[in-house]
Amino acid sequence: MTAKPTVLRDLPADLQQERLPKHVAVIMDGNGRWAKQRGLPRIMGHRRGVDTLKELLRCCRDWGIEALTAYAFSTENWGRPLEEVDFLMTLFERVLRQELREMMEEQVRIRFVGDLSRLPASLRAEIERSMAETSQNQGIQFSVATNYGGRQEIVQACRAIATQVEQGKLHSEDIDEALFSQHLYTQGTVDPDLLIRTSGEMRISNFLLWQMAYAEIYITDTLWPDFDRAEFHRALVDYQQRDRRFGRLSS
């Protein structure tokens, strides 16, 4: 995360600190289209997308947002061309290795959510090392959804709870939303307040299905590699104009 000059480093005057989302989730869509528009291979879009994500993480830290979750690789993404999948796995591993020291300096706590068992062994080792070494950091919590699927997550939670019931460790009447949340990949993390999706797609693509129950959704036509601090600022201004009632009437 080499430092570089940026605009809007301080919280813009039209944003209210107390009304910022505590947790922002992002679906980083449009890397391939960004590259295609420039006559570049798709992998170049993914490389640029990593830089965009690092800058967004810094921005969240600078502006006092407590948590950021990025949808990096879905369970459905295994259906992409093998060359692209292999590149992404290698990219994830290299970025973790290169950025760990700076994450430590910036007090980032990194966490990976999803079924990590299918990932290459070398990548899993880097993931375990990065999570262990940053676990005591006191800064922003950065969650990376990797081999993640919302339906898969709910099914595995149901299986885990059913097993406890079969073993007599739980009774069916003990099951409530709080207990169910404890069996999700994201247990211990506050649900997202704001979901941002780039490239204009109008769907949540199996991402955090349980956790998004009351998230505000912001869609922008901007492709992910072009999503900068100014774009994030616009998303937050829009968020602060929402009337978040959580099923209640307006006050």
Side-chain angles (χ1 to χ4, degrees):
M1 297 190 207
T2 304
K4 61 180 181 179
T6 56
V7 295
L8 300 174
R9 182 171 182 83
D10 297 326
L11 185 68
D14 57 351
L15 293 178
Q16 302 173 42
Q17 189 76 60
E18 67 276 9
R19 295 190 62 202
L20 289 176
K22 289 182 170 58
H23 183 178
V24 174
V26 290
I27 299 177
M28 307 176 291
D29 204 10
N31 291 334
R33 274 167 282 177
W34 182 91
K36 184 177 180 180
Q37 288 175 2
R38 290 157 177 78
L40 300 171
R42 286 177 58 86
I43 60 174
M44 298 304 293
H46 293 307
R47 284 180 176 169
R48 178 63 177 267
V50 168
D51 293 335
T52 299
L53 180 58
K54 289 191 292 186
E55 183 60 16
L56 179 60
L57 180 62
R58 287 195 196 95
C59 187
C60 288
R61 178 205 63 194
D62 292 344
W63 293 357
I65 293 170
E66 298 174 9
L68 174 67
T69 297
Y71 203 6
F73 192 87
S74 74
T75 50
E76 292 77 22
N77 286 157
W78 294 106
R80 292 188 176 189
L82 180 60
E83 179 183 1
E84 183 173 347
V85 171
D86 287 345
F87 172 81
L88 287 170
M89 295 297 123
T90 302
L91 181 63
F92 295 160
E93 186 175 339
R94 185 171 68 245
V95 168
L96 277 177
R97 233 180 359 251
Q98 292 175 346
E99 305 296 339
L100 181 57
R101 182 164 69 175
E102 192 148 354
M103 283 192 289
M104 292 298 294
E105 292 173 355
E106 298 184 4
Q107 288 293 295
V108 174
R109 286 172 293 142
I110 192 167
R111 181 182 188 186
F112 283 77
V113 294
D115 178 8
L116 307 182
S117 64
R118 191 175 173 184
L119 303 179
S122 57
L123 175 55
R124 292 200 308 271
E126 288 296 333
I127 286 173
E128 290 169 5
R129 182 170 74 98
S130 65
M131 289 196 297
E133 293 197 21
T134 65
S135 63
Q136 300 304 309
N137 288 349
Q138 299 300 307
I140 185 172
Q141 179 170 303
F142 177 38
S143 299
V144 185
T146 308
N147 195 27
Y148 175 89
R151 289 182 173 180
Q152 170 205 59
E153 178 182 36
I154 290 171
V155 168
Q156 69 85 27
C158 290
R159 286 174 176 164
I161 293 171
T163 297
Q164 290 184 322
V165 172
E166 289 173 352
Q167 294 172 345
K169 297 178 180 178
L170 277 178
H171 297 289
S172 59
E173 58 267 25
D174 297 327
I175 302 171
D176 57 15
E177 290 185 14
L179 184 139
F180 192 84
S181 294
Q182 292 170 13
H183 290 79
L184 298 174
Y185 296 132
T186 57
Q187 61 88 19
T189 303
V190 65
D191 289 343
D193 302 297
L194 173 63
L195 169 66
I196 297 171
R197 179 158 192 161
T198 56
S199 85
E201 302 294 347
M202 298 285 193
R203 55 183 179 272
I204 59 175
S205 296
N206 201 19
F207 184 42
L208 300 177
L209 298 180
W210 174 274
Q211 298 87 340
M212 291 291 182
Y214 280 102
E216 299 296 324
I217 300 176
Y218 178 83
I219 307 292
T220 174
D221 289 332
T222 301
L223 302 180
W224 176 249
D226 291 327
F227 190 84
D228 56 14
R229 288 195 179 212
E231 292 283 348
F232 188 42
H233 174 221
R234 281 190 278 274
L236 294 178
V237 168
D238 182 88
Y239 171 82
Q240 292 194 159
Q241 293 171 349
R242 308 281 181 94
D243 181 12
R244 305 193 73 204
R245 298 190 299 274
F246 301 97
R248 301 183 293 268
L249 296 177
S250 299
S251 56

